[in-house]
Amino acid sequence: MVRLTIDLIAKSRHKRKRGLSFTDYLRTLTHLHFSNRNIDGIGDLSACRNLTVLYLYDNQIMQICNLDFASNLTHLYMQNNKISQINNLSNLHKLSKLYLGGNRITVVEGLEKLSELKELHLENQRLAPGEKLLLDPTTLLSLGESLSVLNINNNNIDDIRDLTVLKELEQFFAVDNKLQNLEELEEVFGHWPQLLQMDLSGNPVCKKPKYRDRLITVCRSLVVLDGREINELTRQFLVNWKASKEAMKQRKNKQTTSKQLIPFPLTSKSFDDLTLCQGFCSDQIHGQTSIQR
């Protein structure tokens, strides 16, 4: 097995300027490309203090570690490894893009300190049968003001109500999951005013009547839904149609309420019936009084 270390970097074919010492060369490194190298662990890379982009996808890594030094890291590519837990990222305060798709993660957590995170890619986790990817509410809340891209494709997810807090989301991908409640989706998407692109293909909800029309009216800024662009004229028609339908419903409710408040008209016949009823009741009362005496 192979471990990513300074020695491995020294043996690689990274070019460096003539006359530059290896120590100085490590300080100048901003990008490291070590994808598909059968790497199973990360060693001490603290000499690469200016590292900004790290490519480690398609390896055998089981744990994220030894990256505390990388305070300048903005992009981390670790998809298609064997990672089961997200941890040891708290010091990466400048991290903007995190790629963890194709791993073995069951709970998305440990991202509370990443206030600059813009993109989070978690697609295609290798989960046990019947298991689904869970997203920790505390982590989601901490990303609410920064995250703009979220990819949770193919993770057996059936409920996304906890994602409501992601108010800056612009792109959302949840293909091939188990979402089926259209009303819940409308509620969540109503909290995402910046949403431009969304793909829910392969979910049961896509087969619901008026699925596309209803989401277009809720997501007013949406440009692409399930890979298809949204025509602005179509959107305006749907918005106007919904507004007209709601206005008609309100008028109908108002008319129903008004009818309930109108008193029963007192006709001459009903007046006679009322008088007769009062006389009968009076006779009954007098009769009971005479018996008592």
Side-chain angles (χ1 to χ4, degrees):
M1 303 299 282
V2 182
R3 191 172 176 83
L4 179 57
T5 61
I6 296 300
D7 290 339
L8 186 62
I9 296 175
K11 295 174 184 177
S12 67
R13 297 180 179 179
H14 286 81
K15 295 181 180 180
R16 71 172 188 256
K17 294 180 180 180
R18 287 184 178 181
L20 189 67
S21 70
F22 183 61
T23 300
D24 289 338
Y25 164 70
L26 292 175
R27 289 198 187 102
T28 64
L29 276 178
T30 57
H31 292 59
L32 276 181
H33 298 261
F34 282 92
S35 58
N36 197 22
R37 300 286 191 91
N38 206 31
I39 293 171
D40 67 330
I42 304 171
D44 182 6
L45 302 176
S46 56
C48 307
R49 61 186 62 181
N50 289 308
L51 194 63
T52 58
V53 181
L54 179 57
Y55 296 94
L56 288 174
Y57 57 86
D58 295 339
N59 281 298
Q60 305 295 321
I61 299 169
M62 300 182 69
Q63 184 180 12
I64 304 172
C65 61
N66 294 324
L67 293 179
D68 291 348
F69 74 94
S71 58
N72 292 311
L73 198 68
T74 59
H75 295 56
L76 179 57
Y77 297 82
M78 297 190 74
Q79 60 268 43
N80 300 325
N81 278 281
K82 296 181 178 180
I83 299 166
S84 59
Q85 188 174 4
I86 304 174
N87 50 18
N88 301 319
L89 295 177
S90 297
N91 287 346
L92 309 186
H93 301 300
K94 294 183 180 180
L95 194 64
S96 175
K97 298 182 180 182
L98 178 58
Y99 293 81
L100 291 172
N103 279 285
R104 298 174 178 175
I105 298 165
T106 56
V107 180
V108 180
E109 56 187 352
L111 304 177
E112 292 81 8
K113 302 293 184 180
L114 306 185
S115 59
E116 297 296 319
L117 194 63
K118 302 292 184 184
E119 296 189 21
L120 180 57
H121 300 264
L122 299 160
E123 71 283 359
N124 304 319
Q125 296 302 315
R126 287 171 276 176
L127 304 168
E131 199 169 29
K132 64 180 178 180
L133 182 67
L134 301 175
L135 294 97
D136 175 57
T138 303
T139 287
L140 292 174
L141 188 60
S142 68
L143 299 176
E145 301 298 328
S146 64
L147 200 67
S148 60
V149 179
L150 177 61
N151 185 341
I152 52 174
N153 289 346
N154 191 27
N155 283 310
N156 296 327
I157 294 172
D158 56 6
D159 188 342
I160 60 169
R161 283 175 291 183
D162 287 341
L163 303 184
T164 302
V165 296
L166 303 177
K167 301 184 184 301
E168 298 300 316
L169 215 56
E170 296 179 3
Q171 298 179 42
F172 179 59
F173 306 98
V175 174
D176 294 333
N177 280 292
K178 296 182 178 180
L179 301 172
Q180 55 184 340
N181 192 318
L182 186 53
E183 288 74 20
E184 286 183 4
L185 295 186
E186 288 178 305
E187 173 64 23
V188 173
F189 301 153
H191 289 82
W192 295 351
Q194 314 294 334
L195 194 64
L196 299 173
Q197 184 177 358
M198 176 166 62
D199 198 339
L200 303 177
S201 305
N203 282 277
V205 71
C206 299
K207 299 179 181 180
K208 295 289 182 72
K210 302 290 183 181
Y211 153 78
R212 185 175 177 86
D213 292 351
R214 288 173 64 173
L215 292 192
I216 289 175
T217 56
V218 170
C219 308
R220 299 295 181 90
S221 60
L222 199 62
V223 176
V224 180
L225 175 59
D226 298 346
R228 291 167 52 196
E229 289 190 12
I230 297 171
N231 183 284
E232 192 57 38
L233 290 176
T234 300
R235 185 206 308 278
Q236 195 57 51
F237 169 79
L238 291 171
V239 169
N240 292 341
W241 174 79
K242 182 180 179 182
S244 175
K245 187 176 180 181
E246 289 179 350
M248 187 180 298
K249 184 178 180 180
Q250 289 178 358
R251 285 198 299 270
K252 188 175 181 180
N253 290 339
K254 188 175 181 181
Q255 290 173 357
T256 302
T257 304
S258 299
K259 287 180 180 179
Q260 291 174 347
L261 295 177
I262 296 174
F264 186 82
L266 193 62
T267 63
S268 58
K269 183 179 183 306
S270 61
F271 181 79
D272 292 341
D273 291 342
L274 181 59
T275 303
L276 181 61
C277 179
Q278 288 176 340
F280 175 77
C281 293
S282 178
D283 291 343
Q284 290 283 55
I285 293 173
H286 287 305
Q288 290 179 0
T289 303
S290 299
I291 294 172
Q292 290 174 359
R293 288 177 181 175

